[in-house]
Amino acid sequence: MAPASPPIAIADLRRWLERTENHGPATGLALPFGVPDLDVHLPNGGLSLGHLHEVIEGGPASEYAGIAALFVAGILARLPGPVLWCLRGRDLFAPALARIGLHHDRVIYCETWNDRTVLPAMEEGLRCVGLAGVVGELTSLPLTASRRLQLCAGQSGVTALVLRRWRNTTEKKLAGEPNAAATRWRITPAPSPATGFDGLQRQQWLVELLRLRGGEPRSWVLEACNAKGHLTLPAALADGPMATQAPRRAVAG
């Protein structure tokens, strides 16, 4: 395991982060979700690539972050290249990721086990420009550590996704701590409408955008990721899955 990066002054981090955000290789590049109401709410028309994003799970099984992991995997399934996934346990179910398009031959698993080793592993991964993204399962994401991750992501253009995990209520409280992530999402199971075909329906999720740099929080009820990683509107609100969209550059207004 690579050692942690040497300490950097907060003032230097702020200057480098600002320079990276304004001039980094991924400026303006975004991955649309394919849901118009969601994409139009995001500043670049989709999830900004080359940035740090944070995902937590709501509901009674939130400590396992099962559907939050699927949300993250759905994003990465639609990006080309290998993925580095920094684990803090051995409960990630690879066949479930494959069902939504993130196949096992694309994922490099790094058994890091705790925040102290996840963070430097993520930093090293984010410096590898050939990766589609880097996922880190973390309990705590302090401001300084998050700025480091954002700095690395902005310099390389590799997207960083932090999946929050906890074991108890004390650790769960850390999920609300301030950090430098561009977005913070909460994914919670939502009840499906009673149609008599429950076994044939995809699960519905309450997708909450809790924090958005340069925008307002909002929430949507959507169907879980399909076999290609796409979220969709529930069948009652749309005729079918949204058309596949590739990452695009934002156009200045």
Side-chain angles (χ1 to χ4, degrees):
M1 178 60 60
S5 299
I8 299 178
I10 294 296
D12 290 338
L13 277 172
R14 288 198 182 102
R15 288 194 293 270
W16 293 345
L17 181 58
E18 182 179 359
R19 185 169 64 250
T20 298
E21 289 174 345
N22 292 335
H23 305 290
T27 299
L29 190 63
L31 178 71
F33 283 93
V35 179
D37 190 50
L38 172 53
D39 290 333
V40 75
H41 187 69
L42 298 171
N44 293 331
L47 189 77
S48 296
L49 302 181
H51 287 269
L52 171 65
H53 303 278
E54 177 188 11
V55 183
I56 63 177
E57 183 168 328
S62 58
E63 68 271 22
Y64 300 108
I67 62 172
L70 294 178
F71 177 80
V72 167
I75 293 170
L76 295 169
R78 295 181 288 119
L79 292 172
V83 171
L84 176 65
W85 198 300
C86 301
L87 302 164
R88 57 165 284 175
R90 289 180 174 167
D91 56 353
L92 185 66
F93 190 54
L97 306 188
R99 289 189 64 182
I100 60 173
L102 185 61
H103 298 281
H104 65 88
D105 56 351
R106 290 187 53 204
V107 184
I108 303 166
Y109 300 103
C110 179
E111 295 185 351
T112 42
W113 306 119
N114 56 56
D115 293 3
R116 189 173 58 257
T117 50
V118 168
L119 288 167
M122 288 188 70
E123 286 186 35
E124 290 300 318
L126 289 169
R127 296 187 178 100
C128 299
V129 295
L131 293 177
V134 174
V135 182
E137 300 180 2
L138 289 168
T139 298
S140 176
L141 183 61
L143 183 59
T144 301
S146 66
R147 287 188 180 277
R148 285 184 178 275
L149 296 178
Q150 174 56 50
L151 175 64
C152 294
Q155 288 178 334
S156 66
V158 178
T159 302
L161 294 155
V162 166
L163 187 62
R164 303 300 289 267
R165 301 288 304 271
W166 50 77
R167 300 181 184 88
N168 51 57
T169 55
T170 300
E171 292 184 348
K172 185 176 181 179
K173 292 177 181 178
L174 296 174
E177 63 190 341
N179 56 57
T183 62
R184 174 182 290 165
W185 302 81
R186 180 168 60 203
I187 316 299
T188 307
S192 300
T195 62
F197 298 97
D198 294 345
L200 302 178
Q201 293 180 323
R202 286 214 309 275
Q203 184 184 21
Q204 291 191 1
W205 294 344
L206 173 62
V207 177
E208 298 175 89
L209 182 55
L210 301 178
R211 179 180 178 273
L212 171 63
R213 188 183 300 158
E216 296 294 327
R218 194 166 172 184
S219 63
W220 301 263
V221 174
L222 302 172
E223 288 188 348
C225 297
N226 62 18
K228 294 186 177 181
H230 284 275
L231 298 167
T232 59
L233 288 171
L237 302 177
D239 294 330
M242 296 295 168
T244 301
Q245 300 185 52
R248 65 189 182 195
R249 288 199 174 275
V251 178

